[in-house]
Amino acid sequence: MIDVYSSGAYLVNGSRIIRDDGDAAAKLKQAGVEVSADKARQGTIAHGILATHNASHYAPHAASHGDEQILRLKFDSLASHDITYVGIIQTARASGLEKFPMPYVLTNCHNSLCAVGGTINQDDHVFALSAAKKYGGIYVPTHLAVIHTYNREMMAGCGKMILGSDSHTRYGALGTLAVGEGGGELAKQLLGRTYDIARPQVVAVYLTGAPAAGVGPHDVALAIIAAVFKSGYVKNKVMEFVGDGVDNLPVDYRNGIDVMTTETTCWSSIWKTDAAIKDYLEVRGRGGDYRELKPAGIAYYDGLIYVDLSKIEPCIALPFHPSNVYTISEFQRNARDILAKTEEEGLRSLGVENKPGTADLNLNLKAKYRDGGVWAEQAVIVGCSGGIFDNVMAAADIIKSAHADNAGHAHRNFTMSVYPESQPTYLELVRNGAAETFLSAGVLLREAFCGPCFGAGDTPANGELSIRHATRNFPNREGSKPGDGQIASVALMDARSIAATAINGGKITAATELDVPFGKYKFFFDRGVYDKRVFDGSGRPQGDVDLVFGPNIRDWPSMPDLPENLLVKIVSYITDPVTTTDELIPSGETSSYRSNPIRLAEFTLSRKDPAYVGRAKEVQAAEESRRCGTVQPETAALLALIQTIPGCGDMGAASFSLGSAIFARKPGDGSAREQAASCQRVLGASANFALEYATKRYRSNLINWGILPFIIGDGAILALGSHVFFPGIAKSIRENAKTITGYVLGDTLTEISVTLGELTKDERQILLDGCLINHYSSNSRWGGGAGAAKNFWVSPP
């Protein structure tokens, strides 16, 4: 049972909840407490951690000096993987980077299939090792650990803050306030700058009771996501886990819930800590990183989610979002109707009626119901959510409980793969016999790899259904290509129910339907696995080491400053309720080109709007022509309209710049990848128009790449091909105008009003300078070093 409060709430002594309603003051007084909500907000765990990391009081350039509502945060360490670290290091390097000022973990768990794209993936890994040596970082080789497991095991600690360039950067269960962001925010930290944010609201997640045997962390996480995602209840807020139920959960169980908080669209998460966390850290040789964290005697939360763990049932999240959740029992009872609805909604989200070559796509979901059940063809337990030790052991218990001829590959139409989260976990599975259990049952036991989470491993066949204990089930996240007539689907389930399904040959089965004696297994951490392979140069930069550049690591093109007047053309118009970063820049095979911005940009919106790149290039060519003194006919016709705008009669073609833009109702859900913005910028984008932005991180990525994040009240006023002119746009930003006037150029002029939302002084300057690199390079006070050149990255030697 989950109850989402419609108001804030006070928490007294960590256990008594008092709703912030008309009787709150009287109830507080009865409890012997008289305190304001503002004062009680300081009693949350999150408030204490944020206060110790807030640099605004001593940052000499802080526009909000001393303002407790505007935080300027400095993190304890950073983390990136091999899809993001090249761009971050290159950005910082172009801006004068001399050394990493804090521990920076560079893992290799995404682009680690080094047969894809020739040498380019391994070339990035060699670059990262050379950067770790030169600047003083931590390099984790391929297949040794997924990014979040390494950071849990070796970096997280109570009261710390970690910033990672991956959206699932969540170590709250270990007492660490961790944030997933675009690469630009990590580059700022590397250059001694701060992460600036309005103080986030804090929502309590009050856990009580204990889950039933067979109910796993994914079941709890999916139930919470289903309760809050659509309403945006925790959007850009901190989720703080408290209550007696926390004590009933093993640490790995907490980690499994915690990592999925990203899918609620919250900003970060934090949990109260106890002796179990102390033991977890001590086993890994880091007992000194433990301290007890809990709310103060009185704490105020801006919302509260009450979760009775004993009422949670095994769940399934059907395509194409982690919030599309049903209990497995409900799904089994109404499978035909639910599958038909999911198929219809899925095809609509893919927009097949508007895309060439996709009209014959068949999700094949209704056909999965037969013989009284729903059947899947594939199962995967993987990564930072699924590959956790306790999850894998629970799955092994279920596999072991079945007869050998009833498990895994004995059913030739159903396959199962398990990806342990790290080599230390894999080693423990070998030592305790779980590896033998899996392998003898025909289950594939693979290396630490995030690929199946984003379409780079275990891609199902066309029309197949894969059940996964993974983080996401967005369209194409399993690796299919709808544009080429290929489509598969992923449903999210907990490892326990996945194993139950496996022993039933692929028939969707809840683990609670079985009578399995689940064991309690002690984890013996062998740090030597890391000591033998990980390069740890943190705090010991070797400045004379040369960076090693592969042929795919390319410079960025010149990024122009924001002009005084701007003309934009809408070259993609998306009406889906939410647009994910996977749709803005697809994952999977494209990730091999993350170090080559020109090549990667060719994939922008390739699955959602295949004509986008061509349209954007046409605008880019028109702007290049204008810059060179030749005005194309369309631009000339638009200029004649511009001259009819009051105050613009004397404008010529040299008075404005032309850029492309997209409209999407709510873009940016999902991954933190900055390429969702930078690829647009490479193709000449100047703006996004949206009713709202799904996440802070996507909006931050737009700003850091010089793309104006417009918010518009009515998207219907725009259309594909619309031109919008913004006279005095630079002046509006310099003056921090609350609203900005533009003109839609058609048969008649239509005046519109847009806003950029709240912008810090630095964010306004970044937009004016054209991108973060320009900003640093043109202003040495903020990090531009000797030799840093404006408008491009430093070229490889």
Side-chain angles (χ1 to χ4, degrees), residues 121-466:
N121 289 339
Q122 185 65 3
D123 289 346
D124 286 353
H125 304 158
V126 172
F127 170 88
L129 178 56
S130 69
K133 292 177 179 178
K134 183 177 185 66
Y135 299 119
I138 301 169
Y139 174 82
V140 183
T142 54
H143 303 305
L144 208 59
V146 300
I147 178 172
H148 303 309
T149 294
Y150 185 85
N151 278 277
R152 288 175 191 147
E153 292 179 339
M154 305 302 294
M155 306 303 294
C158 301
K160 291 186 177 182
M161 289 193 72
I162 295 178
L163 183 65
S165 55
D166 183 271
S167 58
H168 289 100
T169 305
R170 292 286 189 269
Y171 318 124
L174 303 177
T176 298
L177 202 63
V179 179
E181 267 288 1
E185 296 301 325
L186 276 78
K188 291 178 184 177
Q189 294 285 308
L190 292 177
L191 295 167
R193 298 302 303 282
T194 57
Y195 177 95
D196 302 340
I197 183 175
R199 180 177 293 281
Q201 292 187 340
V202 183
V203 173
V205 184
Y206 191 94
L207 304 181
T208 191
V215 173
H218 228 35
D219 298 316
V220 177
L222 292 176
I224 293 173
I225 293 165
V228 302
F229 173 78
K230 289 184 174 64
S231 68
Y233 189 77
V234 295
K235 180 180 175 181
N236 294 333
K237 301 174 185 177
V238 177
M239 297 176 74
E240 184 160 307
F241 288 76
V242 294
D244 60 274
V246 174
D247 305 329
N248 299 325
L249 302 179
V251 176
D252 269 358
Y253 204 112
R254 302 178 202 182
N255 284 332
I257 297 172
D258 184 62
V259 71
M260 290 299 292
T261 60
T262 295
E263 304 312 318
T264 67
T265 69
C266 76
W267 177 69
S268 188
S269 61
I270 193 69
W271 294 55
K272 73 172 190 174
T273 62
D274 56 18
I277 302 300
K278 182 178 181 182
D279 182 64
Y280 178 97
L281 293 170
E282 285 179 343
V283 165
R284 289 153 182 79
R286 298 196 298 114
D289 284 328
Y290 174 77
R291 66 183 176 90
E292 185 182 20
L293 298 177
K294 62 181 182 180
I298 178 71
Y300 182 83
Y301 294 94
D302 299 288
L304 189 141
I305 305 165
Y306 187 91
V307 182
D308 185 343
L309 294 168
S310 68
K311 302 290 181 62
I312 300 296
E313 298 181 43
C315 292
I316 182 169
L318 293 172
F320 287 112
H321 199 276
S323 65
N324 191 19
V325 176
Y326 299 86
T327 63
I328 292 179
S329 60
E330 178 189 4
F331 178 55
Q332 291 168 328
R333 289 193 305 270
N334 304 290
R336 283 194 180 96
D337 291 342
I338 292 172
L339 288 170
K341 176 185 176 184
T342 301
E343 187 167 315
E344 179 183 350
E345 291 176 346
L347 289 171
R348 188 183 307 122
S349 73
L350 291 168
V352 297
E353 69 279 2
N354 299 319
K355 294 180 184 176
T358 62
D360 296 329
L361 278 180
N362 183 6
L363 290 179
N364 203 33
L365 290 177
K366 289 179 288 189
K368 304 304 175 188
Y369 183 82
R370 62 182 186 275
D371 301 327
V374 179
W375 298 78
E377 287 83 14
Q378 183 195 67
V380 181
I381 299 172
V382 62
C384 59
S385 64
I388 296 171
F389 177 74
D390 281 3
N391 288 337
V392 175
M393 290 308 304
D397 282 340
I398 292 173
I399 297 293
K400 190 174 182 179
S401 73
H403 297 294
D405 61 352
N406 283 338
H409 285 194
H411 298 276
R412 288 178 173 80
N413 294 325
F414 181 82
T415 63
M416 180 174 174
S417 298
V418 175
Y419 292 74
E421 58 185 334
S422 68
Q423 283 293 87
T425 296
Y426 200 130
L427 178 57
E428 189 61 20
L429 299 178
V430 172
R431 287 173 171 166
N432 68 19
E436 180 182 0
T437 295
F438 284 123
L439 294 173
S440 63
V443 177
L444 299 179
L445 198 58
R446 301 182 184 268
E447 65 285 330
F449 180 39
C450 297
C453 289
F454 64 94
D458 274 316
T459 302
N462 182 57
E464 287 192 343
L465 173 65
S466 176

Side-chain angles (χ1 to χ4, degrees), residues 558-687:
S558 175
M559 305 288 180
D561 295 356
L562 183 70
E564 289 299 322
N565 307 291
L566 177 65
L567 175 63
V568 297
K569 182 177 183 178
I570 307 295
V571 294
S572 184
Y573 190 89
I574 303 168
T575 58
D576 294 350
V578 178
T579 303
T580 69
T581 49
D582 280 72
E583 292 169 316
L584 292 165
I585 181 65
S587 56
E589 65 187 290
T590 61
S591 64
S592 295
Y593 301 105
R594 299 300 166 133
S595 303
N596 188 332
I598 304 298
R599 186 122 183 232
L600 181 63
E602 296 291 327
F603 293 93
T604 311
L605 281 164
S606 57
R607 294 175 186 169
K608 175 56 79 174
D609 185 358
Y612 166 81
V613 171
R615 297 190 197 110
K617 286 184 174 181
E618 288 176 1
V619 178
Q620 199 171 30
E623 169 60 8
E624 180 61 25
S625 177
R626 185 203 65 81
R627 282 176 174 268
C628 295
T630 301
V631 180
Q632 292 188 1
E634 183 181 56
T635 306
L638 292 168
L639 177 57
L641 285 171
I642 289 170
Q643 290 171 342
T644 67
I645 297 172
C648 299
D650 294 333
M651 281 194 180
S655 302
F656 62 87
S657 293
L658 177 63
S660 60
I662 69 169
F663 168 82
R665 294 177 60 84
K666 188 178 179 181
D669 186 28
S671 172
R673 66 182 68 128
E674 64 179 295
Q675 293 92 349
S678 64
C679 285
Q680 295 179 53
R681 186 64 167 148
V682 166
L683 293 169
S686 296

Side-chain angles (χ1 to χ4, degrees), residues 527-776:
R527 180 170 177 148
V529 175
Y530 290 151
D531 290 341
K532 293 179 179 68
R533 296 290 314 282
V534 173
F535 173 80
D536 187 352
S538 185
R540 301 185 302 277
Q542 304 172 44
D544 57 344
V545 170
D546 292 328
L547 294 177
V548 180
F549 291 89
N552 187 57
I553 300 177
R554 296 291 184 176
D555 294 346
W556 287 81
S558 175
M559 305 288 180
D561 295 356
L562 183 70
E564 289 299 322
N565 307 291
L566 177 65
L567 175 63
V568 297
K569 182 177 183 178
I570 307 295
V571 294
S572 184
Y573 190 89
I574 303 168
T575 58
D576 294 350
V578 178
T579 303
T580 69
T581 49
D582 280 72
E583 292 169 316
L584 292 165
I585 181 65
S587 56
E589 65 187 290
T590 61
S591 64
S592 295
Y593 301 105
R594 299 300 166 133
S595 303
N596 188 332
I598 304 298
R599 186 122 183 232
L600 181 63
E602 296 291 327
F603 293 93
T604 311
L605 281 164
S606 57
R607 294 175 186 169
K608 175 56 79 174
D609 185 358
Y612 166 81
V613 171
R615 297 190 197 110
K617 286 184 174 181
E618 288 176 1
V619 178
Q620 199 171 30
E623 169 60 8
E624 180 61 25
S625 177
R626 185 203 65 81
R627 282 176 174 268
C628 295
T630 301
V631 180
Q632 292 188 1
E634 183 181 56
T635 306
L638 292 168
L639 177 57
L641 285 171
I642 289 170
Q643 290 171 342
T644 67
I645 297 172
C648 299
D650 294 333
M651 281 194 180
S655 302
F656 62 87
S657 293
L658 177 63
S660 60
I662 69 169
F663 168 82
R665 294 177 60 84
K666 188 178 179 181
D669 186 28
S671 172
R673 66 182 68 128
E674 64 179 295
Q675 293 92 349
S678 64
C679 285
Q680 295 179 53
R681 186 64 167 148
V682 166
L683 293 169
S686 296
N688 274 197
F689 293 85
L691 304 184
E692 64 175 305
Y693 291 94
T695 58
K696 176 199 173 297
R697 54 184 175 266
Y698 177 67
R699 181 175 178 274
S700 294
N701 286 337
L702 292 175
I703 293 169
N704 287 329
W705 283 104
I707 298 176
L708 298 165
F710 287 133
I711 298 172
I712 188 168
D714 180 9
I717 203 167
L718 303 175
L720 182 64
S722 292
H723 287 87
V724 188
F725 184 66
F726 291 99
I729 184 67
K731 181 175 182 289
S732 295
I733 292 175
R734 280 193 293 268
E735 296 178 354
N736 199 21
K738 297 304 180 185
T739 59
I740 298 171
T741 299
Y743 297 87
V744 181
L745 308 180
D747 294 335
T748 60
L749 293 176
T750 303
E751 183 176 313
I752 63 170
S753 180
V754 297
T755 178
L756 289 169
E758 294 296 325
L759 293 171
T760 67
K761 182 180 179 180
D762 285 351
E763 287 174 334
R764 295 199 305 274
Q765 193 58 53
I766 290 167
L767 289 171
L768 290 167
D769 290 340
C771 68
L772 188 67
I773 297 174
N774 293 0
H775 176 63
Y776 286 140

Side-chain angles (χ1 to χ4, degrees), residues 101-125:
M102 60 196 53
Y104 187 13
V105 176
L106 309 174
T107 66
N108 297 279
C109 51
H110 280 62
N111 280 352
S112 45
L113 291 180
C114 297
V116 178
T119 70
I120 59 180
N121 289 339
Q122 185 65 3
D123 289 346
D124 286 353
H125 304 158

